[in-house]
Amino acid sequence: MTAKELQHLENTIIHKLKQELPLYYRYHSVDHILRVLEKATLIASYQKVSKKDTKLIQIAALFHDAGFIKSHQNHEEISCEIAQEYLANYAMKAEEINKIAGMIMATKIPQTPHNYLDEILADADLEYLGTNDFERISGYLFLELKHLNPNLTEKKWHEIQINFMENHTYFTDYGKKYLCEVKNKNLKELKEKYVKSF
């Protein structure tokens, strides 16, 4: 895929998401997808990934949450189907499309990357955990989950977050070097808030 084709694909997918993604997806939004695309590109550069594979990572980032257009359940599988449907219009090998699908599936929780490409997208998807944007972005996730499950309490949400972060790990050298320390600080602050609140 040429750079021009990739830009056209990005424009097409982002337009589709803006038109069809329900507004109650406060976390799984167009902003999230663009952030993951940006961070996946950054991590790929740091990991010295080839231009060819970087394009595959970027395509996977664009599609990784497209399935939310149809459902929040099994959205990764739906995202793969949407990706295959769109990529059929480009001169891409079956092997490349399979790599893209593999990366998308690697973002499914719990994350299960099988190779370095999977690891890059998995880390880009949860990059916010190890940044100063954590509180703001996790707030969007709470609002989204609260919409889907009105019975979700703040107490339960804190418990879910703490458990999730304790069991989460970054896979890439980039994640370990630049994200782990801030993630641990965010987790510590979250635990302190939890104890104070309840």
Side-chain angles (χ1 to χ4, degrees), residues 45-171:
S45 174
Y46 181 85
Q47 302 288 131
K48 296 182 169 50
V49 174
S50 70
K51 282 185 180 179
K52 184 181 174 185
D53 280 345
T54 296
K55 278 183 185 172
L56 297 183
I57 292 167
Q58 290 168 328
I59 294 167
L62 280 171
F63 282 104
H64 84 282
D65 279 341
F68 276 95
I69 289 170
K70 296 184 179 178
S71 175
H72 66 277
Q73 295 177 318
N74 298 317
H75 69 269
E76 295 90 358
E77 287 85 350
I78 301 168
S79 296
C80 290
E81 289 169 10
I82 293 171
Q84 286 167 343
E85 179 188 327
Y86 273 81
L87 295 174
N89 298 318
Y90 297 87
M92 294 192 74
K93 297 173 184 171
E95 179 195 354
E96 293 174 324
I97 295 174
N98 288 338
K99 280 184 181 180
I100 289 164
M103 283 185 263
I104 293 170
M105 292 308 299
T107 66
K108 193 178 181 99
I109 305 299
Q111 293 180 325
T112 52
H114 297 293
N115 56 56
Y116 72 99
L117 298 180
D118 293 0
E119 289 176 351
I120 289 169
L121 190 61
D123 279 7
D125 193 30
L126 295 177
E127 167 266 355
Y128 81 98
L129 296 175
T131 73
N132 294 327
D133 292 328
F134 167 71
E135 191 171 353
R136 174 179 63 83
I137 293 175
S138 65
Y140 294 152
L141 184 54
F142 174 65
L143 291 172
E144 180 178 311
L145 294 174
K146 181 86 173 164
H147 176 89
L148 297 169
N149 174 18
N151 295 322
L152 181 65
T153 62
E154 280 199 44
K155 181 181 180 184
K156 182 62 180 172
W157 169 237
H158 279 302
E159 290 171 355
I160 290 167
Q161 277 210 105
I162 288 167
N163 181 60
F164 180 77
M165 289 178 76
E166 283 180 335
N167 289 288
H168 168 265
T169 184
Y170 285 115
F171 302 100

